[in-house]
Amino acid sequence: MVQVMQQREKGPTICVAGAGAIGLTLAARLMLGGYSVGLIAREDGASFIRKNGLRLVDKDGCYHLQADVGVAAEFKRADILFLCSKSHDLPELAVSIRHIISSSTIVIPVINGLPWWYFDGVNGNWDGAQLHSADPSNVLKRIVPSRQIVGSTTLITAERIDRGSSTTFNPLQMTLGELDDRVTPRLGEVMSVLEKAGIVTRVAPRIRDAVWTKVVRNLISNPLTAITGATLRENFADEFLAGVSGQMLCEVLPVVRAYGASLETDPGSIMELGQKMGDVRTSMLQDLERGRKLELATICDAVIELAQAKGIAMPVIHAISNIAHYRDSREQKAAVEASVVNQAYANRPENVPAQR
């Protein structure tokens, strides 16, 4: 493990909100690029990283960094703000960091699934329709000004090892785009920052095409691997699982077209790329194994919501989504029950330390 003392250069004030696998990886790479980065985490995660540092293992090496980490209230402003939480945690996160967003802050949601901003910026309409599955209480649209959002997608297969460590061995890639698909100076600014951090970055001609391409990749792999426990290689190499993923792919393509979008890559190559990712456990499988809530709302439910609005049937996607929801609810219930039992045990008189 290489101890890294960063040479900080003058540049934008950057905050990364969310200390999951993607947030830790992004923060570490930005720090290695020489930028001053504030990492926003929950109190337990922030305490852990203050004590143990931030660790990253990627294809370039092993790094141990001293991060400027804290809870949201400890940070005052950001020129560039990356939102890296799970999509279902975004409303709570947005409330906690609203004071950081000034009128000039560039907000980049780095999230899975269909984003809450999907209908904003289209044909000059910055108050587009609500995507209920992604933002059921409209909190995100109220707090995060759509004109300040730069859309993004990532191709980063990272895994969080502990509260301050992540690992990733595939190339790090991001795609950026304005919500109205204009090419603006701030896109170049953010692209330059990411490139210097070692993240291959491009600007999408149509950001929603990039979003759908990522959504489709997640949709045909994440819920299915959560159910089966398969890695990406296994999911797309096994004839039975690949058959299910292939059917899901066929079902979602009419929805993509119905909303005037198209995939940026040939559908068949999506299956091939998934297999080439190797024995990577999807983020949804990792979450299930750790008893965390699954990102089904934006990856599955939002797609189903849009399909139903256009009268498009997706029976296999619906079935896989329902089974994944069952697994999720069962695991969440088990986690709650285990917590109650552990707390009851800890509170038994013989387990309570004597007062001296």
Side-chain angles (χ1 to χ4, degrees):
M1 184 73 69
V2 178
Q3 284 282 130
V4 179
M5 297 299 291
Q6 301 96 307
Q7 292 292 323
R8 301 289 174 81
E9 68 168 31
K10 289 184 178 180
T13 300
I14 300 173
C15 279
V16 175
I22 298 298
L24 292 174
T25 301
L26 182 58
R29 287 309 316 178
L30 288 166
M31 292 169 68
L32 290 169
Y35 293 99
S36 178
V37 180
L39 176 60
I40 298 172
R42 297 181 188 275
E43 181 57 53
D44 57 344
S47 298
F48 183 92
I49 296 171
R50 286 193 197 101
K51 180 179 179 181
N52 300 286
L54 176 60
R55 292 176 170 84
L56 172 68
V57 180
D58 65 12
K59 63 182 182 64
D60 293 329
C62 306
Y63 306 98
H64 183 196
L65 306 111
Q66 294 304 312
D68 178 14
V69 61
V71 297
E74 297 178 62
F75 297 91
K76 303 304 180 186
R77 60 176 291 274
D79 297 317
I80 302 175
L81 173 63
F82 293 93
L83 302 181
C84 298
S85 75
K86 296 294 184 181
S87 55
H88 48 259
D89 291 329
L90 269 177
E92 179 184 356
L93 177 65
V95 171
S96 72
I97 53 90
R98 65 192 310 169
H99 65 284
I100 297 174
I101 304 175
S102 71
S103 60
S104 60
T105 302
I106 302 170
V107 182
I108 307 173
V110 186
I111 54 177
N112 282 326
L114 285 169
W116 80 91
W117 53 256
Y118 187 86
F119 293 108
D120 294 342
V122 178
N123 298 323
N125 181 10
W126 288 94
D127 188 23
Q130 181 183 0
L131 186 56
H132 295 276
S133 299
D135 188 16
S137 299
N138 223 25
V139 171
L140 298 170
K141 291 191 76 168
R142 289 200 307 269
I143 291 178
V144 186
S146 292
R147 291 182 183 273
Q148 293 178 226
I149 294 173
V150 167
S152 77
T153 66
T154 62
L155 191 57
I156 298 176
T157 52
E159 181 172 355
R160 191 176 77 160
I161 305 304
D162 59 36
R163 283 174 290 181
S165 306
S166 66
T167 180
T168 175
F169 293 104
N170 288 313
L172 307 179
Q173 302 175 49
M174 286 187 68
T175 298
L176 304 174
E178 295 284 4
L179 304 198
D180 57 3
D181 293 326
R182 292 182 303 119
V183 178
T184 62
R186 68 182 185 180
L187 285 177
E189 177 186 352
V190 176
M191 185 175 181
S192 176
V193 167
L194 293 171
E195 290 278 1
K196 188 163 185 180
I199 300 172
V200 177
T201 310
R202 71 180 185 92
V203 173
R206 292 169 22 117
I207 188 59
R208 286 162 189 79
D209 290 352
V211 166
W212 272 113
T213 303
K214 175 70 180 294
V215 167
V216 169
R217 287 192 177 110
N218 283 338
L219 178 67
I220 68 174
S221 61
N222 272 257
L224 188 54
T225 57
I227 294 168
T228 63
T231 65
L232 282 174
R233 180 190 61 79
E234 291 168 335
N235 186 79
F236 291 108
D238 179 84
E239 62 175 313
F240 301 109
L241 296 181
V244 176
S245 286
Q247 183 58 44
M248 296 173 76
L249 179 60
C250 290
E251 289 184 358
V252 74
L253 291 178
V255 184
V256 177
R257 291 192 294 268
Y259 285 88
S262 59
L263 300 186
E264 292 187 317
T265 186
D266 176 73
S269 67
I270 291 178
M271 306 277 288
E272 295 173 7
L273 178 61
Q275 185 174 341
K276 290 178 181 177
M277 286 291 181
D279 287 316
V280 171
R281 303 201 319 280
T282 64
S283 59
M284 197 173 285
L285 175 57
Q286 293 178 48
D287 286 341
L288 185 76
E289 291 173 341
R290 294 182 169 107
R292 300 182 187 136
K293 184 177 176 61
L294 304 187
E295 284 189 287
L296 295 168
T298 56
I299 292 176
C300 295
D301 300 347
V303 176
I304 292 172
E305 178 183 336
L306 293 187
Q308 290 176 336
K310 297 289 187 179
I312 299 172
M314 299 192 300
V316 175
I317 290 174
H318 225 131
I320 296 299
S321 175
N322 286 344
I323 298 171
H325 270 292
Y326 166 74
R327 288 294 308 273
D328 184 35
S329 61
R330 189 179 72 176
E331 294 299 326
Q332 291 296 306
K333 181 180 179 181
V336 170
E337 291 174 347
S339 177
V340 171
V341 170
N342 290 338
Q343 188 61 46
Y345 178 80
N347 289 337
R348 289 171 62 179
E350 62 268 30
N351 294 320
V352 176
Q355 298 295 317
R356 297 182 184 277

